[in-house]
């Protein structure tokens, strides 16, 4: 299912891979719908990786309301469940732009998310990967704050740390290293990608490319 802008040029494709995201997918899509567009055209590629809850229904309802859009296009694909890496590779193959960004189904994009990514890639020709800022969305939960301000904060401070829920690439760069490893079905696929592309991927860390994302609300055994 697609909703088109009627424009040939897409400046950025945002890939959202979701699995059983019934409770969060609508907020994610609303944040992408409300992106500050200015002179850029945005494509959102939704890959439903065989969800078994109400995710597909939520997406259908969302898309039915978006019959008159300007400078944005939503393309929705539902496939059998094969894991995150394969879903990300699938979304990349379906995308139309030379610039692709990935966010999770439970992420909420800052209004300037797309615009800032495009501006950075246009400004720095040698940069082929952007690692953005991940802010805590469930900040009222004390356990979530503990995780965010300890382990996660330490990881984010690294110049080479790119968090999978907020990363953008020149598409040709991912293709040149063979895409995401299909063995990673849930997490860790971005780490494998960076290991494969350590001599190719040039990372730019930006505090202006922002998404909001939850941390676990309790310890899970």
């Amino acid at each position: 299912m697609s909703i088109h802008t009627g424009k040939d040029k897409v400046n950025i494709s945002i890939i959202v891979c979701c699995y059983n995201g019934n409770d969060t997918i609508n907020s994610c899509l609303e944040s992408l719908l409300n992106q500050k567009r200015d002179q850029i055209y945005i494509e959102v590629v939704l890959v439903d990786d065989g969800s078994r809850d109400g995710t597909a229904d939520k997406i259908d309802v969302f898309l039915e309301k978006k019959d008159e859009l300007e400078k944005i296009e939503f393309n929705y694909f539902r496939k059998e469940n094969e894991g995150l890496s394969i879903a990300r590779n699938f979304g990349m193959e379906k995308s139309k732009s030379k610039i692709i960004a990935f966010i999770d189904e439970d992420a909420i994009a800052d209004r300037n998310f797309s615009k800032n990514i495009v501006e950075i890639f246009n400004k720095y020709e040698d940069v082929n990967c952007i690692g953005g800022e991940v802010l805590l969305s469930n900040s009222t939960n004390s356990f979530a704050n503990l995780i965010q301000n300890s382990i996660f904060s330490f990881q984010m401070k690294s110049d080479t740390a790119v968090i999978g829920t907020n990363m953008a690439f020149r598409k040709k760069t991912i293709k040149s290293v063979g895409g995401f490893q299909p063995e990673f079905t849930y997490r860790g696929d971005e780490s494998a990608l960076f290991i494969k592309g350590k001599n190719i991927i040039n990372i730019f860390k930006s505090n202006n490319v922002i998404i909001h994302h939850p941390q676990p609300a309790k310890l899970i055994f």
Side-chain angles (χ1 to χ4, degrees), residues 77-94:
F77 305 92
R78 180 170 169 81
K79 58 182 288 298
E80 65 175 318
N81 179 250
E82 296 177 288
L84 181 58
S85 289
I86 291 176
R88 281 178 169 167
N89 287 335
F90 180 91
M92 180 174 63
E93 291 300 324
K94 296 296 183 181

Side-chain angles (χ1 to χ4, degrees), residues 43-82:
E43 175 194 30
V44 178
V45 179
L46 300 168
V47 182
D48 182 353
D49 192 35
S51 296
R52 296 184 176 90
D53 61 356
T55 299
D57 292 335
K58 285 282 181 69
I59 293 173
D60 285 340
V61 170
F62 176 87
L63 293 179
E64 285 172 2
K65 296 178 181 178
K66 309 299 178 281
D67 55 353
E68 294 182 7
L69 294 171
E70 182 182 2
K71 299 182 181 177
I72 193 165
E73 176 178 336
F74 286 85
N75 291 312
Y76 172 41
F77 305 92
R78 180 170 169 81
K79 58 182 288 298
E80 65 175 318
N81 179 250
E82 296 177 288

Side-chain angles (χ1 to χ4, degrees), residues 164-214:
T165 190
N166 187 0
M167 57 184 182
F169 300 87
R170 298 188 193 275
K171 190 195 297 184
K172 65 181 181 181
T173 300
I174 299 185
K175 288 193 170 184
S176 70
V177 298
F180 294 96
Q181 287 297 110
E183 296 85 0
F184 292 88
T185 58
Y186 177 58
R187 62 176 58 187
D189 59 335
E190 65 270 17
S191 298
L193 180 78
F194 288 113
I195 290 171
K196 289 197 302 180
K198 63 181 180 179
N199 297 322
I200 298 172
I201 298 174
N202 182 20
I203 299 169
F204 183 94
K205 295 292 291 290
S206 174
N207 293 329
N208 295 322
V209 176
I210 301 169
I211 65 100
H212 300 261
H213 188 267

